[in-house]
Amino acid sequence: MTDKVIENNQVVIMGTIVSDFIYSHEIFGEGFYMVDVEVARLSDSSDLIPMMVSERLMDVSRDYKGEKIAVTGQFRSYNRHEEKKNRLILSVFAREVEFVEEIEESAKSNQIFLDGFICKEPIYRKTPLGREIADLLIAVNRPYGKSDYIPCICWGRNARFASSFEVGARCAIWGRIQSREYMKKISEEEVEKRIAYEVSVSKLELLEDEYTETGNENVNTCRTVLADC
């Protein structure tokens, strides 16, 4: 059961550690920490991806900044309550970490596969230049009745296709994790720079067993999760 569930959320990233470790939480005596990994894009830009890692996988007392790593794991979410609202926090949960000397330009350094359920009506729009975009929110099951809620963005033909997806439908998504800076208005005088994370979709499929009991459960949970966002 566990192995099957893990297959529906697969991530591989390769990049450079660019921050110190920050303590996150502890489960059964095992500490988990957050660290930022800079992953290069094909262009000259890069994505800054947060990684959650166990102290049993890495020596969190060390300074690894500047070192290159290859990580396999899952893209996970949790809901954090702040400013009287819920905020969806996303990170790569590391299952395996390997230090590497170099990352070749041809390496597939940022890949993700998700198999989940549409839990919010797709938002389809066009940019002022006519580029088509569709935003999706996917619920991906995890062991022990938990789910991760992953925002995804589609482009062009994929956006048109995704715009027809109904809430509760099951779909498969391939793409990469991307970071995006935005300005959050805190008050009338204060604005704060934040980073949003999402999956940039390169391929997606609508799966046959669309309206399952599991899908409906995820939809109901998703509505609860997003109620204050």
Side-chain angles (χ1 to χ4, degrees):
M1 172 63 179
T2 301
D3 290 341
K4 183 178 179 181
V5 171
I6 289 175
E7 288 176 0
N8 65 9
N9 188 337
Q10 301 177 43
V11 172
V12 175
I13 60 170
M14 301 174 69
T16 305
I17 296 175
V18 293
S19 74
D20 295 317
F21 290 95
I22 298 175
Y23 176 77
S24 174
H25 64 281
E26 181 178 304
I27 299 178
F28 301 121
E30 182 178 3
F32 291 87
Y33 291 75
M34 299 295 298
V35 67
D36 290 331
V37 179
E38 186 177 40
V39 179
R41 295 189 185 183
L42 293 177
S43 59
D44 292 332
S45 59
S46 61
D47 292 292
L48 193 64
I49 299 177
M51 178 181 75
M52 182 177 292
V53 64
S54 166
E55 60 187 354
R56 298 178 186 176
L57 280 181
M58 298 179 70
D59 180 359
V60 297
S61 65
R62 279 190 55 186
D63 181 358
Y64 289 103
K65 290 194 291 291
E67 296 200 31
K68 298 177 175 60
I69 57 172
V71 181
T72 59
Q74 287 84 49
F75 201 29
R76 292 190 175 181
S77 72
Y78 74 92
N79 228 26
R80 186 169 74 193
H81 191 72
E82 58 179 45
E83 302 170 6
K84 299 181 181 180
K85 290 186 178 182
N86 289 325
R87 184 181 176 194
L88 197 65
I89 305 299
L90 296 152
S91 64
V92 171
F93 181 82
R95 290 195 171 274
E96 295 181 11
V97 176
E98 178 185 357
F99 288 91
V100 295
E101 291 295 327
E102 292 294 334
I103 300 173
E104 296 181 5
E105 290 186 6
S106 59
K108 296 181 179 179
S109 60
N110 188 342
Q111 301 178 82
I112 183 169
F113 167 75
L114 301 173
D115 177 348
F117 300 88
I118 303 293
C119 63
K120 185 180 180 184
E121 187 173 340
I123 299 174
Y124 173 84
R125 63 192 189 280
K126 287 186 178 181
T127 68
L129 296 177
R131 192 175 190 188
E132 296 172 287
I133 301 173
D135 296 311
L136 302 177
L137 189 66
I138 309 296
V140 181
N141 290 335
R142 226 200 282 175
Y144 311 113
K146 295 183 178 181
S147 297
D148 293 296
Y149 297 92
I150 312 297
C152 303
I153 185 166
C154 307
W155 314 88
R157 291 184 302 171
N158 284 336
R160 291 196 298 274
F161 180 40
S163 68
S164 66
F165 290 5
E166 296 185 23
V167 173
R170 183 182 170 200
C171 65
I173 283 176
W174 294 261
R176 63 177 178 82
I177 300 170
Q178 69 177 20
S179 61
R180 172 174 52 83
E181 289 187 354
Y182 70 100
M183 303 305 293
K184 171 72 174 180
K185 186 176 181 180
I186 306 300
S187 64
E188 289 298 326
E189 297 81 20
E190 187 180 2
V191 176
E192 181 180 86
K193 184 170 74 173
R194 290 185 175 179
I195 302 178
Y197 305 97
E198 60 204 359
V199 172
S200 179
V201 178
S202 59
K203 177 185 174 183
L204 75 165
E205 293 180 1
L206 193 60
L207 302 179
E208 291 182 0
D209 52 338
E210 299 179 22
Y211 302 102
T212 65
E213 184 176 341
T214 303
N216 290 330
E217 289 175 359
N218 278 323
V219 170
N220 292 332
T221 305
C222 179
R223 287 170 179 157
T224 303
V225 168
L226 296 175
D228 296 326
C229 288

